[in-house]
């Protein structure tokens, strides 16, 4: 009986460790860069470009005027990093000064494919958005009075308070 308790306790402690070890690294695709944003590597520094892929342990140097927009490659989040500084990407993502937007996974997947220039996903083309037309119903008594019509703008002034 004592042996079963020890085994059960060991499994309860061991299962969370296995789950943490299996945690896959999340990669992020750069969708927009403005200002001075550099990737710091042991080989040196280089400017980030649209379509670059980063992991959480990447070291970034973001200038005061710099801004960076990332999409989680296998997720549904868009991150906008405006906070200046130098550090790991994970620390920038955890900073509350930056913005996190939740998008649909299909949208993020299609945008990432376009940024990565993947030929398997094609962009959809849409026609111009529909225009909304509104008609104003004017009583005949108002139209009969020519003095109410402003000839410069062809409008009828409204005397009612809104």
């Amino acid at each position: 009986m004592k042996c079963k308790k020890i085994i059960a306790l060991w499994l309860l402690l061991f299962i969370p460790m296995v789950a943490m070890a299996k945690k896959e690294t999340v990669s992020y695709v750069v969708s927009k860069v403005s200002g001075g944003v550099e990737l710091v590597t042991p080989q040196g520094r280089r400017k980030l470009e649209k379509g670059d892929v980063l992991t959480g342990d990447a070291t970034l140097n973001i200038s005061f005027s710099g801004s960076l927009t990332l999409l989680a490659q296998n997720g549904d989040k868009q991150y906008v990093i405006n906070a200046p500084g130098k550090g790991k990407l994970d620390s920038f993502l955890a900073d509350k000064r930056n913005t996190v937007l939740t998008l649909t996974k299909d949208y993020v997947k299609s945008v990432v494919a376009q940024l990565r220039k993947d030929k398997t996903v094609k962009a959809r083309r849409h026609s111009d958005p529909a225009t909304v037309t509104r008609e104003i119903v004017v009583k005949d008594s108002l139209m009969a009075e020519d003095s109410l019509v402003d000839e410069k703008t062809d409008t009828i002034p409204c005397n009612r308070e809104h």
Side-chain angles (χ1 to χ4, degrees):
M1 183 72 172
K2 204 175 204 183
C3 184
K4 289 181 182 180
K5 287 182 181 180
I6 292 173
I7 292 173
L9 180 64
W10 186 77
L11 286 175
L12 287 175
L13 294 175
F14 183 68
I15 290 173
M17 285 188 214
V18 171
M20 287 175 28
K22 283 187 174 181
K23 184 179 178 182
E24 61 185 59
T25 58
V26 179
S27 57
Y28 304 93
V29 177
V30 177
S31 64
K32 182 179 177 186
V33 179
S34 63
V37 180
E38 297 176 326
L39 176 64
V40 180
T41 60
Q43 293 81 20
R45 298 175 179 219
R46 72 171 182 88
K47 293 235 179 227
L48 278 180
E49 296 176 0
K50 189 176 179 179
D52 286 345
V53 178
L54 302 174
T55 58
D57 61 345
T59 304
L60 300 177
N61 186 11
I62 301 175
S63 69
F64 184 73
S65 63
S67 175
L68 178 64
T69 303
L70 302 170
L71 292 169
Q73 193 162 4
N74 293 327
D76 61 349
K77 303 282 187 208
Q78 178 183 16
Y79 302 90
V80 180
I81 300 173
N82 295 321
K86 181 179 178 182
K88 298 282 183 192
L89 177 60
D90 285 335
S91 65
F92 281 111
L93 296 177
D95 192 345
K96 298 293 182 192
R97 295 178 289 177
N98 300 316
T99 306
V100 179
L101 301 172
T102 302
L103 308 169
T104 63
K105 286 188 178 189
D106 290 337
Y107 175 75
V108 171
K109 184 179 177 181
S110 67
V111 171
V112 166
Q114 289 174 13
L115 289 171
R116 302 285 316 205
K117 297 182 173 81
D118 186 5
K119 301 296 182 190
T120 60
V121 177
K122 294 182 181 178
R124 294 182 182 165
R125 294 184 180 241
H126 299 281
S127 62
D128 292 332
T131 58
V132 177
T133 57
R134 294 185 177 103
E135 295 182 50
I136 300 174
V137 177
V138 181
K139 292 185 179 178
D140 292 334
S141 62
L142 290 176
M143 291 302 288
E145 297 179 23
D146 291 331
S147 62
L148 291 178
V149 177
D150 184 7
E151 292 182 17
K152 293 178 187 173
T153 59
D154 282 337
T155 59
I156 298 174
C158 181
N159 295 330
R160 289 191 223 163
E161 290 185 27
H162 298 281

